[in-house]
Amino acid sequence: MSKKTILFHVLFWVLLMLSFAISEWNYRNTFIDAIVFEFLFLPIRMIAVYINWLVFIPKFLYTNKHTHYATAIIVLLSVLAITQRVFVLYYGYPQFFPEWTVGQHIHVFKFTSLVQVALIIATPLAITTGWKLFVDLKEKEQFTKVLEKEKTDSELKYLKSQINPHFLFNTLNNIYGLSLENSKKTSGLILKLSDFLSFSLYESNQKLIPLEKEIALMNDFIALEKSRFEDRVKVVLKLSKNKTSDILIPPLILVPFVENAFKHSLKNETEMATIHIHLSVSEKNLNFAVTNSKPLDSGILSKNKGLGLINIKKRLAIIYEDNYSLHINEQPDSYTIKLHIKTA
């Protein structure tokens, strides 16, 4: 037991005795008599409190054996009340309050007196029981919060670890396709890949990043994809004119939606694909919309099985809980996601 804990217990009993002595003062000749009277009951009260604290509460109350607990308390109070009656009648009162016993017949088992003594003992027992239940409940809640946070952090790290390799895998495929053609663009794309790796190593592990960094990554990704597909895709990008540096979001929370749009608008598509991206921000809200054309024979999006998209949904639910909304609208020739986040 630490010194802090010992000091706390000492202060508790001192304050308890002083409180009871003050209330007892009206029935005694002096305040000293009231203090002495409380001292006579202090040992038996401490025995009751610590037996209950250390044995009965963990063994019966915390295991939902309420009947056993009530029985144990009644037996304990009965035994201690009889013990205290013997102590005060044969030692305490004759020693400190002899006038109380002169000419009196000693009746240890007088029912009303036993009940009175039992109540005197039970008062601090009830106070400490309530306190222990309150403290233990708070500790349990705190422990549960810590476990939930650790679980959430672990899940987020797991989801990120899936997103980043998935994202990089697609980028490497892009570069591989160009390298087969001996394209002069390959070196530039490798440089962009280096930027992605740098982001993955140093930025994505952060809980939040400035929105402008996510926008920069999104612009790089769009440039990379357009370099690969050249005239096969048209991208219309509209970004908010409001200041974005003060808005913080989780890393890689927007880019996967853009990646998903490129992936599925160009899959099995021989004609021009179009992608519309719109990002607007206000003081407390972020709105992000991505619409991509879709080949008529594509059935992939309707099943919504994209790894990146599934993981983003999980991350949004964990991070923002009820402070976001994600709507998906699929038409025969288009696919739209609309994301709204309350940023404050």
Side-chain angles (χ1 to χ4, degrees):
M1 187 180 293
S2 66
K3 291 181 179 179
K4 185 178 179 180
T5 303
I6 294 173
L7 180 61
F8 174 80
H9 283 258
V10 171
L11 287 175
F12 167 77
W13 287 110
V14 170
L15 291 174
L16 192 74
M17 280 190 58
L18 287 175
S19 299
F20 286 151
I22 292 171
S23 64
E24 188 74 22
W25 194 356
N26 290 330
Y27 305 98
R28 306 298 167 222
N29 295 327
T30 65
F31 183 66
I32 297 300
D33 286 346
I35 289 290
V36 171
F37 180 82
E38 294 303 323
F39 260 113
L40 292 177
F41 279 85
L42 179 61
I44 210 73
R45 282 169 162 169
M46 295 180 70
I47 291 171
V49 165
Y50 289 115
I51 288 178
N52 178 57
W53 187 289
L54 300 174
V55 180
F56 291 170
I57 291 178
K59 187 174 182 179
F60 299 128
L61 199 57
Y62 283 173
T63 57
N64 294 321
K65 297 177 181 178
H66 300 131
T67 303
H68 290 72
Y69 179 74
T71 303
I73 290 295
I74 292 171
V75 171
L76 177 67
L77 290 176
S78 300
V79 172
L80 294 182
I82 294 171
T83 303
Q84 183 66 7
R85 284 284 291 168
V86 171
F87 170 72
V88 295
L89 289 176
Y90 286 97
Y91 175 76
Y93 294 164
Q95 184 73 23
F96 298 100
F97 305 102
E99 68 276 11
W100 293 1
T101 58
V102 174
Q104 299 287 333
H105 293 288
I106 296 176
H107 298 290
V108 173
F109 296 98
K110 186 179 179 181
F111 179 75
T112 55
S113 297
L114 285 174
V115 171
Q116 184 181 33
V117 172
L119 290 175
I120 292 173
I121 299 171
T123 303
L125 187 147
I127 294 172
T128 54
T129 299
W131 174 253
K132 181 168 179 60
L133 292 176
F134 173 77
V135 170
D136 288 353
L137 178 62
K138 287 297 181 182
E139 288 181 352
K140 184 177 180 180
E141 289 178 351
Q142 185 64 30
F143 181 70
T144 301
K145 287 181 181 179
V146 171
L147 287 181
E148 289 177 351
K149 185 178 185 303
E150 290 179 351
K151 180 182 177 181
T152 300
D153 290 344
S154 297
E155 187 170 354
L156 284 173
K157 288 179 181 178
Y158 172 72
L159 293 174
K160 283 183 182 180
S161 70
Q162 287 187 307
I163 291 172
N164 293 345
H166 177 69
F167 182 71
L168 295 173
F169 174 77
N170 288 340
T171 305
L172 284 170
N173 272 343
N174 295 349
I175 296 175
Y176 174 72
L178 290 173
S179 67
L180 292 177
E181 303 171 2
N182 294 320
S183 173
K184 295 180 180 179
K185 299 175 182 178
T186 303
S187 60
L189 295 181
I190 291 175
L191 184 60
K192 289 186 179 296
L193 176 59
S194 175
D195 291 336
F196 284 128
L197 285 172
S198 176
F199 185 93
S200 177
L201 289 172
Y202 302 111
E203 301 289 350
S204 66
N205 288 329
Q206 298 181 30
K207 186 176 181 180
L208 297 171
I209 62 170
L211 175 59
E212 59 186 13
K213 288 190 175 182
E214 184 84 358
I215 293 174
L217 188 69
M218 182 170 60
N219 282 324
D220 286 344
F221 180 80
I222 292 171
L224 187 150
E225 292 290 80
K226 289 182 70 175
S227 295
R228 178 188 175 195
F229 293 105
E230 296 181 344
D231 297 332
R232 287 182 55 199
V233 60
K234 178 183 178 182
V235 180
V236 179
L237 178 63
K238 294 182 179 180
L239 299 178
S240 175
K241 295 180 180 180
N242 295 333
K243 187 178 180 182
T244 59
S245 59
D246 295 334
I247 297 177
L248 299 177
I249 63 169
L252 292 172
I253 207 75
L254 301 181
V255 173
F257 289 118
V258 178
E259 179 192 15
N260 191 73
F262 273 98
K263 178 181 178 181
H264 295 294
S265 64
L266 291 162
K267 187 177 181 64
N268 300 324
E269 180 63 89
T270 56
E271 299 180 359
M272 170 72 73
T274 58
I275 298 173
H276 292 264
I277 302 169
H278 183 215
L279 174 66
S280 64
V281 296
S282 61
E283 185 178 351
K284 296 182 179 180
N285 296 282
L286 180 150
N287 292 288
F288 184 65
V290 180
T291 300
N292 61 271
S293 59
K294 188 181 69 170
L296 294 178
D297 61 345
S298 175
I300 297 176
L301 291 176
S302 61
K303 296 180 181 180
N304 197 23
K305 297 296 184 180
L307 176 63
L309 195 57
I310 291 173
N311 286 344
I312 289 299
K313 285 183 176 181
K314 290 180 180 178
R315 287 182 67 202
L316 286 168
I318 291 173
I319 297 168
Y320 289 106
E321 297 180 349
D322 298 328
N323 295 316
Y324 87 100
S325 62
L326 177 64
H327 298 288
I328 298 175
N329 181 27
E330 183 175 9
Q331 299 296 328
D333 59 349
S334 67
Y335 188 83
T336 301
I337 67 98
K338 291 183 178 180
L339 174 64
H340 171 75
I341 295 175
K342 295 180 182 179
T343 58

